[in-house]
Amino acid sequence: MQNLKRTFLGIALVTALFFGALPAGATEKLSKVEQLKTEKLAAQRGTVGQMLAEELLGENSGLLLTTYEKYVDAIAALRQQKVRAVIMDEGPAKRFLANVPGLAIMPEPLSEESYAIGFKKGNDALRSRVDEALEAMKQDGTLQAIIDKYNDNIDVNPEDIDLNVGAAGGKLVMGTEAGFAPYELKVGEGYIGIDIEMAAAIARRLGMELQIENLNFDALPMAVASGKVDMICAGISVTEERKKNMDFSINYVDGAKQVAVVRADDLSE
Amino acid sequence: MSSSLPQGRRGSTDRGTVLLVVCGLFLIALLFRSGFFAPASWQGFCAKFHQNFIEQRRYMMLVNGLKATLHMTFFATLIGLAIGLILSIIRVAHKGGARIGPLAAFANLYITVLRGTPVMVQLLIWNFTIFASARDLKTLYIAVLAFGLNSGAYVAEIFRGGIEAVDPGQMEAGRSLGLSYRVTMSRIVLPQAVKNVLPMLFNEFIALLKETSVAGYIGIDDLTRAGQNIQALTLEHSQPLVMVALIYLALVLVLSEGVRRLEARLRRSQR
C-alpha cells in the first residue's frame, strides 16, 4: 500500500503543478505599442510580424518572443496568457476578432507594408511576364474586383475558381500557406482567397495552369529558391531583407497594416 | 501498517485498477484543460463540434488526411522492409567472412547517416534539395521515399539483432549438411530471425505512422495538416487537434492490439 500512496501522491503533485502553473495576471493595462517593448510577444514564424516584434524587443527578443508555425497557435497562446500580444497583419487579425471572443486590436499600427509576389532571384523572364499581367489587371479593375469580393466574405466555393487546368503553356506552380484569410485558405480539397484568385487570373492571362502547393510560411523562401515552386504568393510583405534573397513583382496590395492583437480585457479604454 | 500485510494477486489487480482509473481521470482532466470541452455548455460544445467537423463536410478533410497518412505509412513500410532486410544481410554476411567490404561499408554509412539525423530534416532535404528540380514528381512519392529510406535504417538494425540472436549452431548445422550459405541463410536462419523480430518490426511501423505527421512541412495534407487546415478555417484551436490525436491514438491502439495477438500466437507455436 506504501507504493499506492506514493503513486497517488505523485499524481496529485503533478496535477497540482499542472493546474497551478497558470501565469500571473498582468499588472498594467495596455494602451500604447511602446509598452510592448518589455512584454512577451508572439508572431508567426518567418513573417514581418516576427521582424517587427524583434525590432520592438531589441536584445530581449530572444527571451520574450515566441514564434509559432500557425497564427491559430499564436492566438491560442495569447488567449491562454502565455504572451501579451501577437504581431500580425490586420486582415487575418480582423477575422480572428470576428470569430474568437475576447480579442482586441491595439489602435496604433506598428507599420504599413505592401504585398508582392516573390520569385527566385534572377528569374526575370517569369517575373516580367507576371508583372505585365498584374499591371493589366490593375488597369482594368480585375484586381480590385477580386479584393472587393473578399471584403468581409470568405464564403467562396473553390470549384468556382478557374485554375486553367490543361492549359497549353504548362504549369505555373505557386507556393502559399493556406492559413491567412482572406488571402489564402484551404476549403475541402481546394483553395480560395485573394492571392489564389489573383494567381489564377495571372495564370489564365499567361495561358498556363495554376498549381498550388500548400507549405509552411517559413518554408516558402526555401521552396522558391530551390525551384520547387515558380513563385510564392502568400500575402508576403516586401522588405529590404527579403529582397536580398528573392525578387518581387510589383505590389498588389499597399497599406497593409501590421497590428498588435491583445486580449480585450488587457486593453485600456 | 497495511504495507506489512501479505499481498496476494488480488491486491495487485486492485492496484492496477486504481492506477488505471486515476490515469483515466487525469486524461479527462487533461482534455478539459486543453479546451476540448472548452465551451461551458454541452450545446456550446456541440455547436463547436458541428462547426469544426460537420459543416461543409469538413470531416472529409480529416478523411483525406488520414488517407494520405496511411498511404505514406504503408508504402514507406514496404520500402523500409526491403531495404532493412538487404542491409542487415550485408552486415551479417560481412561479419561472417564474406568478401563484400565496400558493400558493408556502404551499409554502415547508410545506417549511420539515416539514423543519425532527424527524419524531418531528411524530408526537407529530399524535397527541397535532392528533388528540387523534379517538379512533376508528386510530393507524396518523395515523402514515401524519405520515410521508407529512413525506416530502412532502423529495420536493418532490428533484423541484424534478430539474425544474430539465432543460435550460430543453426548456421553450422546447415552448412555441415552441405547446404550453401545462401540456402542456409534464407531457409533456416532468416525464418527464425523474422519470427523473433516481428513484434519489434510492428512497433517500428507504429512509430513510423506517427512520424509521418511532419509531412505537412513539404506540403502534404496528412492527418496532422488536415487538423491544422480545419483550425485555419474555423479559427478553433483545440477541437481539431484533439480529434487528430484521438484518430492517431485509435489507429495505434488497433495496431498494438494486432501486435499483442501476434505475440500471443507466436508464443503458442513455440510450445
Side-chain angles (χ1 to χ4, degrees), chain A residues 173 211 213-216 219-220 222-229, chain B residues 119-147 149 214-220 225:
Chain A
V173 186
Q211 185 188 324
E213 293 287 334
N214 183 16
L215 301 162
N216 285 352
L220 291 177
M222 176 165 57
V224 77
S226 70
K228 200 77 198 173
V229 300
Chain B
V119 69
M120 195 179 113
V121 175
Q122 289 172 25
L123 188 71
L124 290 175
I125 291 177
W126 280 112
N127 191 55
F128 291 119
T129 305
I130 298 170
F131 284 116
S133 53
R135 295 263 303 263
D136 291 325
L137 193 64
K138 266 177 90 177
T139 320
L140 195 66
Y141 299 151
I142 297 176
V144 165
L145 190 74
F147 288 123
L149 292 179
V214 297
Y217 270 84
I218 61 168
I220 294 169
R225 186 49 112 65

Side-chain angles (χ1 to χ4, degrees), chain A residues 35-55:
Chain A
Q35 284 170 280
L36 296 177
K37 279 187 171 170
T38 51
E39 294 295 337
K40 284 185 178 171
L41 303 180
Q44 180 173 251
R45 202 165 299 147
T47 59
V48 163
Q50 176 181 355
M51 216 187 65
L52 291 170
E54 278 167 2
E55 268 174 27

Side-chain angles (χ1 to χ4, degrees), chain A residues 46-48 89 113-119 175-177 180 183-184 195 217 220-221 224 231-239 242 246-253 256 258:
Chain A
T47 59
V48 163
D89 300 67
E113 308 287 340
S114 299
Y115 295 161
I117 303 173
F119 298 90
T176 194
E177 192 264 300
F180 192 69
Y183 288 90
E184 41 264 325
D195 285 342
F217 192 83
L220 291 177
V224 77
M231 59 182 204
I232 51 178
C233 188
I236 300 167
S237 304
V238 183
T239 65
R242 283 178 178 156
M246 61 175 112
D247 289 339
F248 281 104
S249 69
I250 56 173
N251 301 343
Y252 61 88
V253 167
Q258 295 289 320

Side-chain angles (χ1 to χ4, degrees), chain B residues 142-189:
Chain B
I142 297 176
V144 165
L145 190 74
F147 288 123
L149 292 179
N150 178 264
S151 176
Y154 288 92
V155 173
E157 288 298 273
I158 293 175
F159 269 133
R160 189 174 63 91
I163 294 171
E164 284 174 353
V166 175
D167 192 333
Q170 298 282 324
M171 174 59 84
E172 285 159 19
R175 298 289 280 140
S176 60
L177 282 171
L179 301 176
S180 68
Y181 181 87
R182 183 172 301 182
V183 172
T184 320
M185 184 51 110
S186 64
R187 295 291 167 83
I188 296 172
V189 178

Side-chain angles (χ1 to χ4, degrees), chain B residues 8-41:
Chain B
R9 268 184 76 83
R10 188 62 214 275
S12 62
T13 323
D14 279 351
R15 190 159 48 185
T17 320
V18 169
L19 251 179
L20 205 69
V21 169
V22 170
C23 288
L25 287 176
F26 189 60
L27 190 73
I28 292 171
L30 253 173
L31 281 177
F32 262 106
R33 181 90 171 91
S34 73
F36 189 66
F37 306 116
S41 67

